[in-house]
Amino acid sequence: AILHEAIKTLQDGSARLLREKIGQLVPGTYSFEDANDNDGVENEPLWIRLDLSVKPGRLVFDFSRSSPPCRGPLNCVFATTAAAVFISVKHMFPEIPLNAGCFEPIEIIAPESTFLNAKYPKPVSGCAAEVSQRVVDVCFGALAQILPDRVTGAPVGTSLNVAIGGYDPEEQQRYILYFYTGGGHGGFVAGDGIHTA
């Protein structure tokens, strides 16, 4: 019982701290959008369109205007969309202790009519490596209108995630290469961005 009370106290404290930060923001709706070039199957952009509303004691991230589900593997499950939103908010307020309470004042709207709340049997293998990072970019774009001194420029926005395999007849054996790398982040008010390769 004491442990549960301690956990609840920590969570309530983080929620209160985030509400205090939200209370210092200018109320209103701030919009931003960006797109993945395509879904890997059809050559049409996948738009992530965000309307971020600052309301008393809460932030509402509304992705209702985003593209519909797609044929390719860039549909995104709601949990990954939510994680990307939480990442962006945590970047704005790193001083708030990280626990479930941090995210209690956040509402996320991602209807199933968008590719950001995919349901079975839609393909989703690219949601973590591609879509989630672009969701973070879009959240940063909206948050930059509210907190320009705290937001970095867009990070790399993608991951190089390559798998090559086959059979070498000379060696008479199979081979596989898996290569994964990320990138850096954009500049910010106090300095340049960071490049990683």
Side-chain angles (χ1 to χ4, degrees):
I2 293 174
L3 179 59
H4 288 175
E5 289 177 14
I7 291 171
K8 186 175 186 316
T9 298
L10 291 172
Q11 292 175 342
D12 290 348
S14 290
R16 177 182 48 78
L17 288 170
L18 183 54
R19 284 195 188 92
E20 288 175 2
K21 296 289 187 184
I22 294 169
Q24 297 168 11
L25 306 178
V26 177
T29 299
Y30 305 85
S31 299
F32 196 83
E33 63 183 36
D34 196 4
N36 288 83
D37 291 341
N38 57 58
D39 68 356
V41 175
E42 296 179 348
N43 194 23
E44 295 291 331
L46 283 175
W47 286 99
I48 301 168
R49 294 186 171 105
L50 170 61
D51 298 308
L52 169 57
S53 296
V54 177
K55 300 190 173 184
R58 65 190 178 115
L59 297 173
V60 180
F61 290 78
D62 187 350
F63 294 96
S64 297
R65 298 184 301 110
S66 298
S67 292
C70 58
R71 287 180 58 206
L74 293 191
N75 295 288
C76 194
V77 296
F78 182 80
T80 300
T81 299
V85 170
F86 296 154
I87 287 169
S88 68
V89 172
K90 186 57 183 160
H91 272 273
M92 297 306 98
F93 307 112
E95 66 275 18
I96 297 177
L98 181 60
N99 58 56
C102 296
F103 312 121
E104 191 271 322
I106 298 170
E107 179 182 350
I108 301 168
I109 301 169
E112 291 179 27
S113 59
T114 72
F115 81 109
L116 298 176
N117 188 355
K119 301 294 183 186
Y120 180 84
K122 290 292 182 185
V124 297
S125 64
C127 77
E130 291 296 323
V131 181
S132 67
Q133 295 185 69
R134 196 58 52 88
V135 171
V136 171
D137 289 352
V138 170
C139 291
F140 280 177
L143 288 162
Q145 298 169 49
I146 311 167
L147 295 164
D149 292 348
R150 286 187 172 245
V151 181
T152 68
V156 69
T158 187
S159 295
L160 179 59
N161 196 2
V162 179
I164 301 171
Y167 181 77
D168 183 342
E170 290 184 13
E171 297 291 329
Q172 296 186 346
Q173 64 182 6
R174 297 187 181 280
Y175 63 89
I176 188 166
L177 165 72
Y178 181 71
F179 182 72
Y180 180 90
T181 185
H185 68 72
F188 60 110
V189 71
D192 294 332
I194 296 175
H195 171 74
T196 62

